Amino acid sequence: MTHLRLSGLPFERQREHLEAILLADPLVSEALRRADRLDLPDWWIVSGALYNTVWNHLTGKPSGYGIKDVDLFYFDRSDLSWEAEDVVIRKGAELFSGLSHPVEIRNQARVHLWFEKHFGYPRKPLASSAESIGHFAARTHAVGVRFEAAGGLEVCAPFGLDDIFSLRMVPNRALDNRATYETKSTRAMAMWPELAVEAW
């Protein structure tokens, strides 16, 4: 059960391990360095690239295994047009060119404008990127990191980090995300059989 060696530790210890694992990983560390250069308001690298990297570290899998893309959130309500977001996306495409995985950039201040069309029910405007992180389908997925001024990582983890370090999928019922949760759980279990999944 060596993959559970960091399970149950206090949050600050797990945060230290998270930082060390992510900064040592070539994909995540390079994505963070490039994201920092974009200088976006309220930006975070979030979700899959982070918890999958921890799972890869704990189970002896290579960097990038199981990761589809790197999600980069930012929050800017000064201009909610698609055109303004597209400018950032195009700038990011140039900056992240050559990275081993694509980077998906999304302005969380615009989510409520397209959410109902995509998911079938409306959503209120968000107040920050951190609020959006707290709405992922799994509590396990609710994590974001970015550089602090001192060079270390600031961590946003509204449900803590123990589910990640325990390889445990736990649903987050803040939104009606059952279908998303079950789809992601099925895929994750196929790639990390050590994973324990709590039913929705």
Side-chain angles (χ1 to χ4, degrees):
M1 301 286 280
T2 58
H3 61 282
L4 298 179
R5 59 191 179 274
L6 303 179
S7 175
L9 294 177
F11 174 81
E12 186 53 33
R13 289 280 309 282
Q14 290 182 334
R15 192 206 65 76
E16 291 170 358
H17 283 289
L18 179 73
E19 180 173 356
I21 291 166
L22 297 181
L23 292 180
D25 182 80
L27 170 62
V28 177
S29 60
E30 184 61 22
L32 280 164
R33 279 192 287 272
R34 297 191 196 190
D36 195 44
R37 285 163 50 195
L38 274 176
D39 197 29
L40 296 170
D42 191 16
W43 73 269
W44 299 86
I45 298 285
V46 303
S47 198
L50 307 181
Y51 64 82
N52 289 163
T53 296
V54 172
W55 292 352
N56 289 340
H57 174 81
L58 293 173
T59 60
K61 293 181 173 62
S63 172
Y65 173 82
I67 297 173
K68 293 180 177 179
D69 55 28
V70 177
D71 292 305
L72 172 56
F73 282 7
Y74 72 101
F75 191 90
D76 184 0
R77 55 181 156 209
S78 66
D79 186 341
L80 297 183
S81 69
W82 158 247
E83 291 76 14
E85 185 177 33
D86 191 48
V87 167
V88 175
I89 291 171
R90 289 174 182 272
K91 185 177 178 183
E94 181 177 342
L95 181 63
F96 291 108
S97 176
L99 199 68
S100 62
H101 289 62
V103 177
E104 184 171 289
I105 304 172
R106 292 294 179 265
N107 182 5
Q108 298 306 292
R110 294 190 68 253
V111 169
H112 65 286
L113 299 177
W114 53 259
F115 189 89
E116 184 172 9
K117 183 177 180 181
H118 192 74
F119 291 102
Y121 59 95
R123 187 172 179 180
K124 294 179 181 178
L126 294 161
S128 66
S129 290
E131 183 181 4
S132 186
I133 291 169
H135 289 169
F136 282 120
R139 293 163 60 108
T140 319
H141 298 171
V143 60
V145 297
R146 63 186 177 192
F147 281 127
E148 295 177 312
L153 291 186
E154 181 178 357
V155 176
C156 175
F159 304 108
L161 297 170
D162 198 52
D163 290 329
I164 295 174
F165 283 102
S166 299
L167 279 85
R168 182 174 57 228
M169 287 278 282
V170 179
N172 177 18
R173 299 181 181 89
L175 299 174
D176 183 14
N177 276 336
R178 179 173 183 167
T180 299
Y181 176 79
E182 291 178 347
T183 298
K184 288 183 176 291
S185 296
T186 299
R187 177 181 181 271
M189 286 178 68
M191 306 198 78
W192 294 274
E194 303 88 349
L195 198 63
V197 176
E198 182 179 311
W200 184 274

